Amino acid sequence: MSPEWIVAPVFEGLIVMLLDRRLTTVVSGLLAISTVTAACTDLLIDDFSKWVEGTNNLNWPNGDDGSMTSIAAAAGKVQFIPKDGGSYFYESFSCQQAVTLGYGGIQFTLQGPAGGSVAFELQTSASCNASDTGNYTSSYNVIGGLTGSQQTIDLPLLGFDNNPNYDAIVGLVWSEFSQTNAIWSVGNIKLTCGAVAAPTTTAAPTTPPSSTTRSVVPTSTTRSVITTVTGSSSSSTATACSNLLIDDWESQSRLTFLGYNAMNQASSDDGTMSSIVVSNHRVLLTPKNQESYFYSQFGCLNTNDKYGGISFRIRAARGTTFAVQISYFATCGSSTGRKTISMTSTQLKWTFDGTERLYSFPFSVFTGLDTTKFDMIYFSSFNAAVILGPMSFYCGNTASEYILPSLPPPANTGASPTVPAPSSKAKPFVIDTFANKDTNDLGQWHGGDDGMTVTFGKNSITIRTNDSDLGWNTQLASTCFDMTPYSTAYLHVAYTGSNKFSIALQQHNDHCDDSIKPYPETWDSLEAARYSFNGGSDIYIPISHFHINLTRTIGFNLRGFFSPSESTTITKMEIIPSIPSGISIPHKLPSGTLVFACTRPNSFAFAIDDGDPQLARRVMSIVEAAQIPVTFFTVGLPLLDPSTNLSKIYRDMASKGHQIALHSYTHPKMEGLPTIKDIDWEYQNDIGAVQQTFPSSKISPYFRPPFGTEGARMRQRLVENLYPGGGDEKKKAYIVGWSVDVEDWLWAESETPEKQLEAFKRDVKAGGNLVVMHYLYESTVGYLEEFIKLAKASGKRLMRVDQCMEDPEAPPLT
């Protein structure tokens, strides 16, 4: 992904237990054990692009023989939930003379519960002669010390027990999963050429798995394909066939911002609906009129002899009607030749009464439908709003429902431990009792961002907002305010109502001048709910939990409100030396570092967010001609869409020395997401998409929040998902803002696009040195060359974000 990322992944603490009496811990460094055969290229065994066909990339069977609770293909991997100790997943293929062909190792991605382990079985024959390949010998490694995140595993072809013949490999099996009823995944399986990691330490023997025989013949080749999580059918044939998920309505932004369903295919209303609201795995479609429609595409899917129809839950008022159209292609890959068959909900004998029920239709009711080239389902002619539940193809002739999987609770959410609250000698003072609409009790400004609903009562304010990017500010001083005398004191907030928001303490720039960029320079955000006590009436936060420079604070900011239906009423904000007895304070959760500007003297960085794939090559040409390295923040889901070509484009960018960093999976306002699970879903899928695109690279700890929306929960979960269970390395998470905004979102498509250039000049003149821009618009890309010239003319050195932040892991300046 970028030059500082190592070619072969190294995972500290990843334990590989070799059953030939060796225990290997890969900590650092690589030892070559084979030389590269000139003609050798890595052999891709399975990226699960052919999952629905019942084969891997080598056209040989793969599967679980019904041993899993559920199993389905996701982007570049297979996800499953083991049923019991007998669950396994296998890959078969024609006999591979690995040594002769120059292969030195086996590589795959693996994700399982933190601290978990799995047995890896290598199946080999005496030789690749036809007479020998019917029998095989099983040899094992046990892979343990998993982190909970997706990891790339490299196993050398040595050290397996039973002295396998590495020149006659016929199969691979994963089994003995340390935890059942949890989600595991295996992906991007390949034989690799060249040097591989060799064991460097030895230890006591381990015990081999209890089972040593695995089937290499599948019981069924009917498969489920999903994007993020596995599910199962409720029918009695679930072990042989799982429902094929079309959409589980997991993400508002995946559907309405990016326009994808769970199959990574197009899904949209093309702006014809009054609104589309995704919540709790349901989508509410509210039509403007009879011309409103909504569709979900399948990608020319062959369901013949596998799936018999489509099912989903519907909730609609009595008397609601709409039309359902199914379309198919005459020829896959053709832009023409789409054929459509339509039926009304009345013809399907669907009636509604305001309750949610499971509805379905068999393909047979759509006369003349070609089930080998499915294109999409299209809803239209609504006479009222409709709520749809998870939508899927069901197996066989009996309608069944897609069942959402039960997921383990998020790790390390900070519920414990707590510590007793010590007292301080700091003098108390009142910040705000909201007696005045313009100033607080210190005589300093207070107020809310435009768009917030703020109602003043008698010595109180009530805040309500549906935008997590908005906040309420109350300042401590008009310039820098030294909070170090209060470093052992507490912020007390008296409130009623919702505590679903963050509290930030802002830090001034080193000039203590609000005309100089950035202003504020940074802040730290803490989760109000974690510090709420007395039944939800008081918030007590140690000032020491705000990890900023306390010598130059600005004030407090209430932000990141994530429950639009609830309001918060605040009656007092004050600094107090101690808190009531019996209250224990939660420990401070790591929350990374929020940055708006480069720290390296005389540096300047272009940080470019995702845009139009058609403009990406032009951006590359411009920065290449300017001979500068830049940072690209990429959204994960479009990377997995082959039609965008973004995976190739970003691999090219990384190969030329540019930094590729994280920007979420579907581009939502992260702090506005309703639950920790929703936030984790974004991070885990984003990290997974980048790992799939750059399987041999380390994931960047740099994250730009979509829309710049920041809050305590998204910061804490970023750290936890980057470093599950980690230690000091958690400090290396960066939430990247900007101090130069070209305002392309405002001016690019206006009648005055040149104002983007004016905005750039204004912010650079004010001291800004970290850019935000998108290659979404022709005009913005057209100005990029001029932006670069202006930055160079400032006398500053242009570099990547990690370089301008003086990151010791960044590549050296050249």
Side-chain angles (χ1 to χ4, degrees):
M1 183 175 286
S2 54
E4 82 277 21
W5 291 5
I6 54 179
V7 175
V10 174
F11 301 105
E12 295 193 10
L14 175 63
I15 310 298
V16 181
M17 289 168 277
L18 304 178
L19 298 181
D20 65 344
R21 304 292 192 266
R22 289 187 291 183
L23 172 67
T24 299
T25 305
V26 183
V27 289
S28 63
L30 298 174
L31 177 63
I33 62 165
S34 63
T35 57
V36 179
T37 302
C40 180
T41 57
D42 290 353
L43 177 67
L44 178 63
I45 297 170
D46 208 345
D47 64 3
F48 300 95
S49 58
K50 304 182 72 173
W51 176 253
V52 295
E53 300 174 24
T55 70
N56 55 30
N57 291 65
L58 302 178
N59 295 318
W60 277 66
N62 58 3
D64 70 321
D65 294 335
S67 66
M68 300 289 180
T69 296
S70 62
I71 185 168
K77 59 189 175 184
V78 64
Q79 293 179 320
F80 46 82
I81 300 177
K83 183 186 305 180
D84 50 38
S87 297
Y88 60 89
F89 175 78
Y90 72 87
E91 294 281 353
S92 62
F93 37 82
S94 62
C95 188
Q96 298 296 318
Q97 294 180 282
V99 177
T100 299
L101 296 173
Y103 300 121
I106 301 165
Q107 183 186 89
F108 51 89
T109 62
L110 177 65
Q111 184 170 2
S117 64
V118 58
F120 177 77
E121 176 184 347
L122 184 71
Q123 296 177 342
T124 60
S125 291
S127 74
C128 282
N129 295 329
S131 59
D132 292 327
T133 54
N135 300 307
Y136 64 84
T137 298
S138 294
S139 304
Y140 293 93
N141 279 347
V142 177
I143 304 169
L146 301 183
T147 66
S149 296
Q150 182 170 290
Q151 300 165 257
T152 299
I153 307 299
D154 283 287
L155 293 178
L157 292 181
L158 88 168
F160 285 79
D161 70 331
N162 293 338
N163 297 313
N165 179 7
Y166 298 116
D167 225 23
I169 301 175
V170 296
L172 311 173
V173 183
W174 292 258
S175 65
E176 301 292 326
F177 301 95
S178 61
Q179 185 175 331
T180 57
N181 299 319
I183 294 178
W184 295 72
S185 72
V186 175
N188 289 318
I189 305 160
K190 62 180 70 174
L191 289 174
T192 56
C193 305
V196 294
T200 56
T201 63
T202 61
T206 58
T207 304
S210 58
S211 175
T212 58
T213 304
R214 303 293 179 201
S215 168
V216 292
V217 181
T219 59
S220 169
T221 57
T222 303
R223 302 299 173 84
S224 277
V225 179
I226 61 172
T227 301
T228 55
V229 296
T230 58
S232 63
S233 165
S234 60
S235 71
S236 60
T237 59
T239 56
C241 171
S242 297
N243 284 28
L244 173 58
L245 182 63
I246 299 169
D247 211 333
D248 54 1
W249 320 116
E250 173 71 45
S251 164
Q252 177 83 47
S253 50
R254 181 179 70 185
L255 181 62
T256 57
F257 186 80
L258 296 180
Y260 287 99
N261 59 24
M263 301 177 77
N264 284 9
Q265 299 293 328
S267 184
S268 179
D269 69 323
D270 294 332
T272 64
M273 290 282 174
S274 176
S275 66
I276 296 179
V277 178
V278 174
S279 178
N280 195 30
H281 294 285
R282 302 292 187 271
V283 60
L284 169 61
L285 304 174
T286 304
K288 288 180 184 177
N289 49 46
Q290 286 278 310
E291 304 301 316
S292 298
Y293 60 85
F294 177 80
Y295 64 86
S296 197
Q297 293 187 337
F298 312 139
C300 203
L301 182 70
N302 181 2
T303 64
N304 207 23
D305 299 325
K306 299 176 183 178
Y307 305 105
I310 292 176
S311 67
F312 44 89
R313 288 187 168 271
I314 304 176
R315 181 181 177 185
R318 192 180 304 276
T320 299
T321 60
F322 53 90
V324 180
Q325 299 176 13
I326 298 292
S327 67
Y328 64 94
F329 287 110
T331 305
C332 283
S334 171
S335 58
T336 60
R338 177 182 285 131
K339 299 181 180 181
T340 300
I341 304 172
S342 180
M343 296 189 74
T344 66
S345 55
T346 303
Q347 290 172 320
L348 291 168
K349 296 182 171 53
W350 291 351
T351 59
F352 310 101
D353 60 7
T355 62
E356 182 179 279
R357 290 186 288 158
L358 182 66
Y359 293 79
S360 64
F361 58 80
F363 297 141
S364 59
V365 301
F366 289 84
T367 305
L369 181 65
D370 183 352
T371 58
T372 66
K373 302 178 185 69
F374 261 120
D375 173 37
M376 69 176 169
I377 186 170
Y378 181 101
F379 302 92
S380 62
S381 303
F382 295 90
N383 71 345
V386 171
I387 298 175
L388 304 180
M391 181 165 53
S392 68
F393 294 94
Y394 62 78
C395 302
N397 298 319
T398 303
S400 61
E401 180 179 7
Y402 177 85
I403 304 299
L404 294 165
S406 297
L407 300 177
N412 192 24
T413 57
S416 61
T418 58
V419 295
S423 297
S424 168
K425 295 182 179 180
K427 293 183 179 180
F429 67 89
V430 175
I431 301 170
D432 216 334
T433 56
F434 310 101
N436 185 295
K437 290 187 176 182
D438 298 317
T439 59
N440 60 24
D441 290 54
L442 300 175
Q444 301 298 321
W445 173 79
H446 67 186
D449 293 332
D450 291 341
M452 294 188 82
T453 300
V454 180
T455 304
F456 274 83
K458 184 178 180 181
N459 294 108
S460 70
I461 57 166
T462 298
I463 299 172
R464 183 189 295 270
T465 178
N466 61 2
D467 188 345
S468 55
D469 202 28
L470 304 180
W472 168 271
N473 299 277
T474 187
Q475 289 192 337
L476 297 171
S478 58
T479 182
C480 289
F481 184 87
D482 187 0
M483 281 288 289
T484 52
Y486 307 94
S487 62
T488 57
Y490 301 84
L491 170 69
H492 171 230
V493 180
Y495 80 102
T496 58
S498 172
N499 56 19
K500 297 177 180 178
F501 62 94
S502 298
I503 300 178
L505 180 56
Q506 299 170 321
Q507 175 184 312
H508 217 314
N509 56 49
D510 57 7
H511 295 278
C512 297
D513 185 344
D514 59 12
S515 68
I516 295 177
K517 295 279 186 176
Y519 171 78
E521 185 176 83
T522 189
W523 60 79
D524 196 8
S525 294
L526 301 177
E527 192 177 351
R530 290 191 71 239
Y531 296 87
S532 295
F533 302 94
N534 298 330
S537 62
D538 295 281
I539 297 169
Y540 297 105
I541 303 178
I543 297 300
S544 61
H545 281 205
F546 294 103
H547 288 185
I548 63 169
N549 185 340
L550 293 177
T551 65
R552 42 187 171 96
T553 66
I554 301 171
F556 291 96
N557 177 250
L558 312 182
R559 57 188 299 104
F561 293 85
F562 61 93
S563 183
S565 63
E566 300 179 85
S567 62
T568 302
T569 298
I570 301 175
T571 55
K572 180 183 268 189
M573 296 180 67
E574 61 181 337
I575 301 298
I576 57 177
S578 62
I579 62 178
S581 61
I583 292 179
S584 294
I585 294 297
H587 69 290
K588 158 72 174 176
L589 288 177
S591 56
T593 303
L594 176 66
V595 298
F596 294 94
C598 299
T599 60
R600 185 186 295 271
N602 205 41
S603 64
F604 193 100
F606 277 88
I608 304 174
D609 294 358
D610 264 345
D612 183 349
Q614 301 300 318
L615 298 174
R617 288 293 180 192
R618 186 174 166 196
V619 171
M620 273 298 298
S621 298
I622 293 171
V623 297
E624 189 171 2
Q627 296 183 317
I628 62 167
V630 301
T631 295
F632 292 96
F633 288 96
T634 178
V635 177
L637 181 52
L639 277 179
L640 303 180
D641 182 354
S643 68
T644 67
N645 199 37
L646 282 174
S647 59
K648 183 179 187 305
I649 291 170
Y650 279 117
R651 280 193 288 264
D652 289 347
M653 291 174 174
S655 70
K656 297 180 187 300
H658 302 293
Q659 181 186 10
I660 310 299
L662 303 171
H663 195 37
S664 83
Y665 188 61
T666 68
H667 206 274
K669 291 188 174 182
M670 296 286 290
E671 190 63 25
L673 294 174
T675 67
I676 294 296
K677 180 184 79 69
D678 296 318
I679 295 173
D680 284 354
W681 184 87
E682 283 289 332
Y683 284 133
Q684 290 167 6
N685 282 279
D686 190 25
I687 290 169
V690 173
Q691 284 179 322
Q692 181 180 335
T693 305
F694 302 90
S696 297
S697 297
K698 181 180 177 182
I699 291 295
S700 171
Y702 290 81
F703 176 79
R704 172 165 279 171
F707 309 100
T709 305
E710 174 272 355
R713 296 180 310 145
M714 60 79 60
R715 291 178 64 163
Q716 292 162 182
R717 299 315 297 171
L718 171 65
V719 174
E720 182 60 29
N721 281 281
L722 282 173
Y723 308 105
D728 290 342
E729 69 272 19
K730 288 190 174 186
K731 300 175 183 178
K732 297 179 182 177
Y734 293 86
I735 300 91
V736 182
W738 54 84
S739 49
V740 178
D741 184 359
V742 306
E743 297 180 347
D744 46 11
W745 51 274
L746 180 62
W747 305 115
E749 295 185 304
S750 73
E751 295 181 355
T752 55
E754 68 276 4
K755 287 186 177 292
Q756 296 173 94
L757 197 57
E758 295 175 14
F760 185 89
K761 292 177 180 178
R762 175 201 66 212
D763 288 352
V764 171
K765 183 178 179 180
N769 57 18
L770 180 52
V771 176
V772 62
M773 61 170 286
H774 307 77
Y775 56 89
L776 271 172
Y777 315 104
E778 285 277 359
S779 65
T780 308
V781 175
Y783 285 120
L784 178 56
E785 190 173 355
E786 185 66 21
F787 293 154
I788 294 172
K789 289 180 179 178
L790 288 168
K792 287 183 174 180
S794 71
K796 295 178 180 177
R797 187 172 184 179
L798 277 60
M799 60 191 68
R800 299 163 25 147
V801 171
D802 55 351
Q803 292 172 322
C804 91
M805 296 310 304
E806 303 176 273
D807 188 336
E809 296 186 13
L813 297 177
T814 57

